[in-house]
Amino acid sequence: MKNKVVIIGCGNVGMAYAYALLNQRTFVNEMVLIDLDMKRVEGEVMDLQHCLAFAPSKIDIKCGDYTDCSDAKVVMIAAGVNQSPGETRIDLLARNAAIFKDIVSKVMESGFNGVFLVATNPVDVMSQLTYKYSGLPSNQIVGTGTTLDTARLRQIIGSRINVNPKDVSAYVMGEHGDSAFVTYSSATIGGEKISDFINEEDYSTICHQVRKAAYEIIERKGATYYGIGVAMVFITNAILGDENTILTVSVHDQNNDVFVGLPAVINKDGVKQKIYVNLNDKETRQLQTSIDIIKEAVESVKE
Ligand code: NAD
């Protein structure tokens, strides 16, 4: 069976995803790379192809164009521009929105009917724009949301109390940005409430660390990409393997008509269903704040 993934935007994030797909035994057997700078992508494809003799599974890797999206199961978008000196966040958003309009229209012209996986920031807004520009049902749009933030939270808690991060069941929800929040009331480790291990004040400090993580990395090395690359492999496996895996992706919240990071069941259709975690009053307010911030950003995008 053909399990084709098309990567649009082959910078740090696109290539970290491609490299992680190649290094893990996944369901993907065909990978197509598209970028504005196709000469560089030709080099990337050659470099990746030279891994095949040692890679865990055989993957056809090539440079492509938008017609390649017609039979893709997943189209991942990490294309975007960075902030120019003097440019506001809203101006940057407008430029990235224009790029997405162009990219998503070209993908849809190919006849694509798979799942869009969106990584470009602000990811909740870009996921909503993908939904709008594609006209696909909302379940076919999966933003990376707070998947990476949740992975960071689990890693920090795991190292703090010396358990495997995989055994930490805790979520970061809301905007993938400064208003992201952790759920204290529902977090568990090995079936025990998190409050048995970490008090609420310390948990807030950990939340702050999670929110700061991207800034800390960017200050040191200019960008973050390995974490999101591996997180997207996990999401891709959930889709291609029809796994019904629960991940805190950016999904369409019908009540507010906004894409926001919430736990959701991911399978071959993209989003199978959202999980409504019990939130306490504080967490409910935090979610609403995130929703309001994302809505305002979406509304600021000029047509
Ligand atoms: P980058 O500048 O290294 O790569 C962007 C790529 O997009 C470039 O190769 C560029 O040529 C390409 N591009 C631009 N316009 C294009 C178009 N119209 N068509 C095709 N390709 C186009 O940036 P990066 O570090 O890879 O980051 C990419 C995006 O991912 C950014 O928005 C970044 O903020 C975001 N990101 C998201 C997360 C997350 O958790 N969702 C984590 C890290 C980074």
Side-chain angles (χ1 to χ4, degrees):
M1 189 171 57
K2 198 163 168 175
N3 274 332
K4 188 201 271 189
V5 168
V6 176
I7 301 174
I8 303 174
C10 301
N12 295 316
V13 172
M15 292 317 300
Y17 174 59
Y19 190 57
L21 280 175
L22 189 56
N23 276 301
Q24 297 193 26
R25 193 175 292 280
T26 71
F27 297 98
V28 177
N29 50 26
E30 196 173 344
M31 203 195 306
V32 179
L33 276 63
I34 301 174
D35 195 282
L36 281 184
D37 184 352
M38 285 311 286
K39 186 175 174 202
R40 180 169 45 78
V41 171
E42 272 173 32
E44 297 284 16
V45 166
M46 286 183 227
D47 207 357
L48 289 177
Q49 284 172 337
H50 299 163
C51 304
L52 285 170
F54 309 115
S57 54
K58 169 87 172 65
I59 304 184
D60 289 330
I61 308 166
K62 65 165 197 168
C63 296
D65 59 40
Y66 285 91
T67 59
D68 286 294
C69 299
S70 63
D71 57 350
K73 297 267 173 63
V74 173
V75 165
M76 193 286 279
I77 312 180
V81 286
N82 290 317
Q83 211 150 354
S84 308
E87 189 178 43
T88 66
R89 204 172 153 264
I90 299 291
D91 291 340
L92 175 72
L93 180 54
R95 279 205 294 148
N96 273 330
I99 289 172
F100 260 56
K101 193 167 192 179
D102 180 52
I103 289 175
V104 173
S105 318
K106 286 177 179 156
V107 173
M108 294 313 294
E109 273 165 29
S110 76
F112 174 69
N113 192 24
V115 177
F116 274 107
L117 175 56
V118 180
T120 303
N121 276 322
V123 71
D124 303 292
V125 179
M126 303 322 285
S127 304
Q128 179 128 16
L129 294 178
T130 303
Y131 172 51
K132 179 175 162 188
Y133 299 147
S134 68
L136 288 172
S138 61
N139 62 288
Q140 285 173 247
I141 320 297
V142 178
T144 53
T146 46
T147 315
L148 177 58
D149 314 66
T150 295
R152 287 172 177 154
L153 175 70
R154 293 168 72 197
Q155 185 272 323
I156 295 171
I157 294 173
S159 85
R160 172 117 176 213
I161 61 169
N162 203 18
V163 297
N164 191 327
K166 290 180 178 153
D167 294 317
V168 177
S169 180
Y171 296 132
V172 179
M173 289 169 49
E175 178 205 10
H176 173 61
D178 293 340
S179 71
F181 66 98
V182 292
T183 53
Y184 185 68
S185 50
S186 59
T188 57
I189 298 168
E192 300 291 325
K193 281 194 161 299
I194 197 101
S195 52
D196 292 348
F197 304 90
I198 302 171
N199 67 38
E200 193 161 5
E201 200 185 325
D202 286 351
Y203 205 62
S204 295
T205 310
I206 292 174
C207 175
H208 186 61
Q209 264 178 282
V210 171
R211 281 207 215 96
K212 271 196 333 193
Y215 294 109
E216 296 274 355
I217 298 170
I218 289 167
E219 191 191 318
R220 287 164 175 81
K221 56 178 271 192
T224 82
Y225 37 90
Y226 297 131
I228 190 62
V230 173
M232 288 196 290
V233 170
F234 212 78
I235 301 172
T236 304
N237 274 341
I239 297 166
L240 298 182
D242 197 20
E243 285 179 348
N244 290 321
T245 300
I246 299 173
L247 290 159
T248 48
V249 284
S250 189
V251 290
H252 189 228
D253 167 26
Q254 274 92 352
N255 297 336
N256 293 285
D257 187 24
V258 79
F259 274 71
V260 62
L262 296 171
V265 179
I266 304 298
N267 70 11
K268 64 176 180 8
D269 301 319
V271 180
K272 184 184 176 205
Q273 69 185 80
K274 291 179 280 291
I275 307 283
Y276 287 98
V277 179
N278 276 330
L279 299 178
N280 62 27
D281 288 351
K282 182 180 168 198
E283 293 161 354
T284 305
R285 282 196 302 277
Q286 286 173 314
L287 178 59
Q288 193 56 52
T289 302
S290 269
I291 287 170
D292 293 344
I293 289 171
I294 299 164
K295 276 192 110 158
E296 197 181 319
V298 170
E299 276 155 25
S300 75
V301 177
K302 299 179 197 82
E303 285 302 311

